[in-house]
Amino acid sequence: MKIILMGPPGSGKGTQASFMASITEVNSVSSGDLFRDNLSRDTELGRMAKTYMDRGKYVPDDVTIGMVMSWIEAPENKKGFVLDGFPRTLLQAESLDDRLGAIGGIDKVILFNVPEPELIKRLAGRILCRKCQTPYHKVFSPPIKQGFCDMCDGELFQRQDDSEAVVRERLSVYTEETSPVIQRYKELGNLIEIDGSLSIEEVEQSLREALE
Ligand SMILES: [Zn+2]
C-alpha cells in the first residue's frame, strides 16, 4: 500500500501518519524526518541540502526527491509506505510518479480538510514560558493564571512564527503550492478527502474507512 497524506499545517496529519503506518503495517516518513536523517548520516544528498539551508534557501525538488526515493527503495519499505506531507508541489508530485513508474504509482492520497479559522485557532494559540520553555495553548491547554507559567510563574510569550499574521501567510503559501497537487490526484481518481476538524478518534475511524 503506497499512501500520501496531505493537509495544511495544523490539520493533524502528522499525528495520524504513525496511526496509518501501524494499521497498514508499513513505515511512515515526513520530509523533515528525511532531512534530519540525511544530515545526521552526512549523506551526499544531506550535504547538498545543507548548502541550501545554510544560505536560507529552499532545498531544490530534485534533492528532496532523491531523499524520498532512496528511502522508498530501501528493503524495509518494499511493501509500501506512508508519505507525510510529500509531495508538496506539482513538480514533486510529477517526479515522484515518474520515479515510482516501475513499482507502480500511489494507491491513495488522503487529504485532511480543516477550515481556516480552526487552523488559525490551533496554530496561533501556542505560547511558551520565557524562563522554563514550558509550552501552553491559549485554547487547548491554558495556564491557570493568564499570562504566567504554572511551573515557575515566568512570563508567557508567543514566538513570531506562531503569530496570527505569520500563520495566515504560511497557510496561504501552502494552499497556493498544493492546490495543483490536489487537483492532479483528484483527476487521477485516488484522492480521498476526510474531515480533519473532528476528534482524533473520529479521524482514525475515517482513515480506517478510507483504506477499505
Ligand atoms: Zn515556566
Side-chain angles (χ1 to χ4, degrees):
M1 193 60 116
K2 297 187 278 299
I3 298 168
I4 291 172
L5 300 186
M6 291 187 70
S11 63
K13 77 180 160 45
T15 311
Q16 294 293 351
S18 47
F19 171 75
M20 284 295 279
S22 73
I23 58 173
T24 52
E25 297 178 344
V26 298
N27 295 315
S28 72
V29 79
S30 70
S31 44
D33 295 337
L34 288 176
F35 280 124
R36 282 186 290 276
D37 175 56
N38 278 272
L39 290 175
S40 73
R41 289 190 294 118
D42 198 28
T43 63
E44 197 186 333
L45 288 165
R47 284 197 296 273
M48 276 164 74
K50 196 167 181 300
T51 64
Y52 291 92
M53 289 151 84
D54 286 347
R55 287 179 287 152
K57 293 211 158 71
Y58 279 110
V59 176
D61 282 339
D62 56 341
V63 176
T64 309
I65 291 157
M67 291 182 187
V68 172
M69 287 312 298
S70 79
W71 183 84
I72 285 175
E73 286 160 359
E76 64 271 26
N77 299 320
K78 282 277 182 274
K79 59 179 178 168
F81 51 79
V82 175
L83 297 179
D84 166 12
F86 180 93
R88 187 179 160 123
T89 63
L90 187 57
L91 198 74
Q92 289 179 352
E94 289 169 350
S95 311
L96 178 69
D97 288 348
D98 279 352
R99 299 205 40 187
L100 282 177
I103 56 170
I106 296 297
D107 297 301
K108 288 177 201 287
V109 178
I110 298 174
L111 174 63
F112 288 63
N113 283 323
V114 178
E116 183 162 304
E118 171 67 18
L119 291 173
I120 289 167
K121 190 171 90 181
R122 290 180 183 182
L123 294 168
R126 294 174 183 162
I127 40 179
L128 272 181
C129 172
R130 224 179 260 289
K131 262 206 260 178
C132 73
Q133 307 298 314
T134 300
Y136 296 87
H137 191 285
K138 287 177 189 167
V139 182
F140 306 118
S141 55
I144 297 165
K145 188 166 85 177
Q146 200 193 334
F148 296 93
C149 178
D150 295 349
M151 308 293 165
C152 73
D153 211 35
E155 186 199 355
L156 301 182
F157 78 109
Q158 185 165 54
R159 296 185 319 145
Q160 181 66 24
D161 282 358
D162 297 329
S163 70
E164 190 170 325
V166 173
V167 165
R168 276 186 195 282
E169 176 58 23
R170 261 165 72 203
L171 291 174
S172 97
V173 169
Y174 176 85
T175 305
E176 201 175 306
E177 281 181 344
T178 56
S179 301
V181 183
I182 293 167
Q183 191 55 36
R184 173 187 174 84
Y185 289 121
K186 204 176 257 177
E187 283 162 13
L188 289 173
N190 51 8
L191 186 79
I192 301 171
E193 300 190 52
I194 65 157
D195 183 352
S197 64
L198 302 174
S199 71
I200 289 184
E201 294 72 25
E202 289 168 310
V203 171
E204 285 181 358
Q205 187 52 38
S206 323
L207 290 174
R208 282 183 207 280
E209 286 161 15
L211 290 174
E212 277 161 12

